[in-house]
Amino acid sequence: MKTFTKILFVLLLLGLFSCYDETVVVEGPQGPQGIPGATGAAGESGYVFEFSDIDFVAPEYEVFLPFPNDFEVLTSDVVLVYLLWDVQDIDGIPTEVWRPLPQTVFTFDGTLQYNFDFTLLDTRLFLDANYPLDWLEARDTDQWIARVVVAPGNFWGSGRLGIVPSYEEVKTTLGLPELDTKRTIGIDRR
């Protein structure tokens, strides 16, 4: 009986090992480069519009910035807004400091927020605070410069841009044109 049990055990082991398949895949060398495809027409990936002399005036403390008549904003586009906050002298070179909206400022009176929304026709900049907006000074409301960037929605969702991208990051990623940067700010925003 022991011999029969040993033979049965060996047959079971052979049966189990015969079901095991260890396939080893060896990757071969890379093949030749394929034929390049046709070069497509150069497309535009983003647009930037600059608006100057923006004043937030009572009682609404809001400003509408219309898109040009010959420009079409698509429902899938994303609009980003940057305010020229400061011009700093870095190694003798005036360097613009752009801040993305929304932007919250902490004042002695409370918090002030510069914000925006947009439609297919325009962008609205507006102020919001936890105190009366009539308390604002000219440095808070007058002589702002804004850059409105219209970016295709696929750039925003592709991970190419950060959550709150800087203007320089957006400019580089979307290939935006150089705009005038030789200016000073007439009001101290600090």
Side-chain angles (χ1 to χ4, degrees):
M1 189 65 156
K2 287 185 175 184
T3 308
F4 177 73
T5 306
K6 287 181 183 179
I7 292 173
L8 184 60
F9 182 70
V10 169
L11 288 174
L12 279 172
L13 283 176
L14 286 174
L16 286 175
F17 283 114
S18 67
C19 294
Y20 180 73
D21 180 23
E22 184 178 324
T23 305
V24 177
V25 176
V26 178
E27 190 172 318
Q30 185 172 348
Q33 180 70 29
I35 300 170
T39 302
E44 306 236 4
S45 59
Y47 299 89
V48 60
F49 304 104
E50 186 169 288
F51 298 88
S52 57
D53 297 324
I54 297 171
D55 294 333
F56 297 96
V57 294
E60 293 85 14
Y61 293 94
E62 67 182 6
V63 177
F64 288 89
L65 308 174
F67 294 118
N69 290 334
D70 60 345
F71 180 75
E72 179 183 3
V73 177
L74 304 176
T75 56
S76 61
D77 287 343
V78 176
V79 173
L80 306 169
V81 178
Y82 297 86
L83 289 180
L84 180 58
W85 205 265
D86 194 9
V87 176
Q88 296 180 352
D89 186 4
I90 299 177
D91 296 330
I93 300 170
T95 305
E96 295 180 344
V97 177
W98 293 92
R99 288 195 180 176
L101 296 187
Q103 191 65 226
T104 302
V105 178
F106 299 98
T107 68
F108 290 113
D109 299 315
T111 57
L112 169 65
Q113 186 174 61
Y114 295 85
N115 210 337
F116 78 102
D117 56 29
F118 68 94
T119 68
L120 298 179
L121 304 174
D122 59 22
T123 299
R124 178 178 71 111
L125 306 182
F126 60 94
L127 301 180
D128 190 21
N130 62 0
Y131 57 90
L133 292 174
D134 294 341
W135 295 0
L136 295 174
E137 299 177 20
R139 71 180 185 163
D140 301 316
T141 60
D142 295 351
Q143 298 178 7
W144 285 96
I145 298 172
R147 287 189 177 167
V148 177
V149 177
V150 180
N154 63 341
F155 272 96
W156 189 258
S158 68
R160 296 182 196 175
L161 297 173
I163 293 173
V164 182
S166 69
Y167 179 74
E168 288 302 316
E169 182 182 0
V170 170
K171 184 176 110 180
T172 301
T173 303
L174 298 178
L176 298 176
E178 286 290 330
L179 297 178
D180 182 23
T181 59
K182 295 174 179 59
R183 64 177 135 231
T184 57
I185 296 178
I187 294 179
D188 182 15
R189 307 249 188 243
R190 291 179 235 148

